[in-house]
Amino acid sequence: MNKSVLSILSLFILLNLFLLFFFQQNVSAATYHVDCTASSGGDGSSGSPFNTIQDGIDSALAGDSVQVAAGIYYEHITMKNGVEILGAEATITTIDGSGYGPVVWDNDADSAAKLEGFTVTNGVATYQAGGMNIYGSPTVANCIFSDNQAGAAGGGMYIASPASKSPVITNCSFVNNRAGNGGGMYISRAMATVSNCTFTNNQATGVGGGIHIWSGFLYGAPTITDCVFDSNKSTGASGGGIYNESGVTSTYGPTITNCLFKNNQASYDGGGICNDSF
């Protein structure tokens, strides 16, 4: 094969590689539509939406979004890597767990996964998280977690992401949730970021009416910033607002900055923050 043919072949291959790269970079992400008033059998298009959120999630690929219309969705959902699940707004878009099991599961979803604009309610778990279980790095934004229960830990939310994961919880409200420990939220050995959230009237029969934190040693510690803890209770022990079972050193303990504590109550302390120590 002579040099001119080789040159033409090389240019052809380079052109095809460029076109393939260009095509991959410009493929539009898909949006799947969900409406609880729609009939079953939809294809997820705007004119023929799915009638369950999980149908939209199951159809989506990384980079896609699931757009959920206002309404009450009686279901339990599991998040997926790279998929954004977007409600119309938390006050008008509800996922109701019907009184059993965690309402939302994150089974190690990546940082591109997102849940936004929902009220998550009426989840009841024997052990952990009536509202939402988190084991990965998703973002949860502009959501309300209300009236969820867990027998052991994290009525509204349970976070147990390993140190390599960094879930983000922002602009969310935790209201009227109940648990043995961590009525509003339980953070177990996780480098979670919780910011601009409110914890109101959550209750623990053990410790941590608002949040129970347990980390330390080889595990990550959470960061809690610009949050409000109001009227949370620990009826059995300590930490009406926050119970920090992580130690109080900068190496092991959480970072809690610019948070407001008011009207919190606990059986064994003042009710704001109780710092345990090793």
Side-chain angles (χ1 to χ4, degrees), residues 9-276:
L9 182 59
S10 297
L11 286 173
F12 178 78
I13 293 171
L14 287 172
L15 178 61
N16 277 273
L17 289 173
F18 172 78
L19 290 173
L20 178 62
F21 175 80
F22 180 82
F23 176 76
Q24 288 176 333
Q25 296 300 309
N26 288 274
V27 172
S28 297
T31 298
Y32 292 91
H33 296 269
V34 179
D35 190 332
C36 60
T37 66
S39 301
S40 61
D43 60 8
S45 63
S46 58
S48 182
F50 294 123
N51 64 3
T52 71
I53 301 170
Q54 193 62 53
D55 280 344
I57 297 169
D58 291 344
S59 299
L61 301 175
D64 294 344
S65 63
V66 178
Q67 188 69 57
V68 182
I72 301 176
Y73 296 81
Y74 295 95
E75 58 180 302
H76 302 77
I77 67 171
T78 301
M79 299 181 71
K80 182 188 285 187
N81 281 349
V83 175
E84 294 188 344
I85 308 163
L86 308 174
E89 186 181 317
T91 57
I92 57 175
T93 317
T94 298
I95 311 175
D96 190 312
S98 301
Y100 70 93
V103 182
V104 182
W105 275 94
D106 150 40
N107 290 331
D108 196 24
D110 61 16
S111 59
K114 187 175 189 179
L115 182 78
E116 181 171 9
F118 292 94
T119 289
V120 176
T121 190
N122 203 20
V124 179
T126 302
Y127 182 61
Q128 60 201 35
M132 182 175 184
N133 275 289
I134 295 180
Y135 296 96
S137 300
T139 293
V140 182
N142 302 306
C143 288
I144 300 169
F145 293 83
S146 65
D147 299 292
N148 300 288
Q149 300 179 43
M157 181 179 288
Y158 182 89
I159 305 175
S161 304
S164 60
K165 311 291 183 179
S166 300
V168 175
I169 319 300
T170 186
N171 297 316
C172 291
S173 297
F174 296 80
V175 185
N176 297 327
N177 301 287
R178 303 287 183 269
N181 296 306
M185 178 186 292
Y186 191 106
I187 304 175
S188 175
R189 303 178 296 179
M191 293 183 67
T193 297
V194 181
S195 64
N196 296 295
C197 292
T198 60
F199 294 80
T200 307
N201 198 36
N202 301 286
Q203 183 171 303
T205 55
V207 295
I211 301 179
H212 182 165
I213 301 169
W214 179 51
S215 57
F217 293 113
L218 300 178
Y219 304 104
T223 299
I224 301 171
T225 307
D226 297 320
C227 293
V228 176
F229 296 82
D230 185 4
S231 302
N232 303 285
K233 296 180 181 179
S234 170
T235 61
S238 304
I242 294 177
Y243 184 78
N244 171 28
E245 196 178 356
S246 308
V248 295
T249 70
S250 59
T251 303
Y252 305 135
T255 300
I256 301 172
T257 306
N258 199 34
C259 292
L260 175 64
F261 296 83
K262 58 181 182 178
N263 305 317
N264 300 288
Q265 301 177 34
S267 297
Y268 296 160
D269 59 42
I273 302 177
C274 178
N275 286 309
D276 200 350

